[in-house]
Amino acid sequence: GQNIDQPTEMTATEGAIVQINCTYQTSGFNGLFWYQQHAGEAPTFLSYNVLDGLEEKGRFSSFLSRSKGYSYLLLKELQMKDSASYLCAGMDSNYQLIWGAGTKLIIKP
Amino acid sequence: DADVTQTPRNRITKTGKRIMLECSQTKGHDRMYWYRQDPGLGLRLIYYSFDVKDINKGEISDGYSVSRQAQAKFSLSLESAIPNQTALYFCATSDRDRDTGELFFGEGSRLTVL
């Protein structure tokens, strides 16, 4: 079956770095997405990886290892506004997204 | 104004009632989707449409129907609502010409079925 696993909740300190891991099993693979969702709001796109390696975009970076079925989202210089849920989603061979339940990130001063 | 607009944003209804959630978009995208989100679960796809004449079931289509009235409009109907359809519903769009398949979400419609 298809499955996305990510931690339910993480806590980090303002100004620090946090890594949110995601493992995936999909029928075929056409990329790995990360979205950010603030409480009560819509998800917004953060990153897309289809090749192995690290993609950096400002304070956020996303890494993919296709052989390990593994990705992580790295957030640097954490700010209070980064408190949100982070959703990992794998795209299968039919270009359908399989979503994880999300990781709730709590930032403490 | 939001590029993807959902109405209503909040709705409380009773078991057995018919409910329609509407979605309209100004992004000019061909592809539209309806998802539901429940606490502790990932987003689950209900229906999707790649153009006006194309309608496809997602993983949880039972109890739902959709209509693609125009490129910009995609509505979701619950013919006879039941309490386990209480959820947050999202409409989303994507551009078929973008390699990433990035989704653009509406603000969500919170439905409570009593």
Side-chain angles (χ1 to χ4, degrees), chain B residues 4-53:
Chain B
V4 184
T5 303
Q6 294 182 227
T7 56
R9 295 290 314 280
N10 287 284
R11 183 72 182 269
I12 299 173
T13 191
K14 294 182 178 179
T15 297
K17 294 292 187 181
R18 183 178 187 274
I19 294 297
M20 179 180 287
L21 306 180
E22 298 184 335
C23 178
S24 63
Q25 52 114 348
T26 58
K27 300 192 74 67
H29 290 168
D30 289 318
R31 300 182 174 189
M32 298 187 74
Y33 309 79
W34 275 104
Y35 283 94
R36 67 176 279 176
Q37 188 175 43
D38 299 274
L41 298 178
L43 287 162
R44 291 184 290 168
L45 183 62
I46 305 171
Y47 272 95
Y48 62 102
S49 169
F50 283 177
D51 66 39
V52 174
K53 296 181 180 180

Side-chain angles (χ1 to χ4, degrees), chain A residues 2 96-99, chain B residues 34-36 42-48 56-62 64:
Chain A
Q2 304 195 97
Q96 296 301 319
L97 285 174
I98 310 302
W99 294 84
Chain B
W34 275 104
Y35 283 94
R36 67 176 279 176
L43 287 162
R44 291 184 290 168
L45 183 62
I46 305 171
Y47 272 95
Y48 62 102
N56 304 281
K57 292 182 177 181
E59 63 178 298
I60 55 161
S61 59
D62 287 349
Y64 302 94

